[in-house]
Amino acid sequence: MSGVEDLYQEMILDHYKSPRNFGKLENPDSEIEGRNPLCGDHLVVQMRFEKDQIAEVAFEGDGCAISKASASVMTETIRGMTRGEFQEVFAVFQALVTGVESDSVLELGKLAAFGGVAAFPARVKCAVLAWHTAKAALEGHKGSISTEEKV
Ligand code: ZN
């Protein structure tokens, strides 16, 4: 294993064991539940908006290391973003974990750690669950979404 892969592995484990922004918001504007029945991942994403910006984002739930670490890194990444910025980074992340070449010039930062998921198709839904849930919350959906159903 290369040094970079070790570092990524460590980063994912760290976010799994001590997830960031884990818990509930006091006054969320949006709350949605996301499920990935193929793996048993389950989480709730809450957001509070200020105009067009994601002012606060938090998540709760349980799942495999990839799903939880991905949710944790996502909350860190999207906090403070506008809806447009979210859509852009969502598309880049989706391309990254499905192994699609992207010509985006966005800095991936910690998100790059999930690039290895592309080699394991069964884990792609674990990695994108939090992102799909956040997207649904941002678009004003209510209730819950599943990786096995179209939103
Ligand atoms: Zn999973």
Side-chain angles (χ1 to χ4, degrees):
M1 231 196 235
S2 77
V4 172
E5 277 170 11
D6 282 347
L7 204 72
Y8 281 169
Q9 207 97 54
E10 225 168 86
M11 207 277 288
I12 287 173
L13 273 178
D14 174 49
H15 275 265
Y16 171 57
K17 288 182 190 154
S18 352
R20 320 298 197 267
N21 304 306
F22 192 79
K24 280 193 157 72
L25 298 180
E26 259 176 43
N27 295 301
D29 294 310
S30 191
E31 173 179 318
I32 194 151
E33 180 187 29
R35 285 173 294 116
N36 171 17
L38 294 185
C39 178
D41 308 320
H42 171 262
L43 49 86
V44 173
V45 172
Q46 291 187 322
M47 284 183 184
R48 191 173 64 74
F49 305 113
E50 268 167 27
K51 292 184 183 150
D52 194 40
Q53 219 168 22
I54 303 165
E56 282 185 282
V57 50
F59 82 103
E60 269 189 333
D62 216 351
C64 66
I66 297 282
S67 70
K68 224 165 159 178
S70 178
S72 173
V73 174
M74 180 203 72
T75 59
E76 279 194 332
T77 305
I78 69 171
R79 188 179 191 152
M81 281 188 174
T82 63
R83 288 161 195 264
E85 286 166 342
F86 173 88
Q87 298 293 356
E88 197 180 348
V89 74
F90 177 92
V92 170
F93 185 76
Q94 175 106 326
L96 174 79
V97 297
T98 50
V100 176
E101 291 269 347
S102 165
D103 53 8
S104 169
V105 291
L106 276 188
E107 288 279 342
L108 281 173
K110 286 181 181 173
L111 296 179
F114 296 93
V117 169
F120 306 96
R123 310 316 298 274
V124 171
K125 283 175 179 164
C126 303
V128 298
L129 174 63
W131 288 86
H132 279 289
T133 310
K135 185 169 182 277
L138 207 64
E139 289 170 353
H141 291 273
K142 300 260 180 282
S144 71
I145 63 142
S146 164
T147 52
E148 301 311 296
E149 295 155 26
K150 286 248 178 288
V151 178

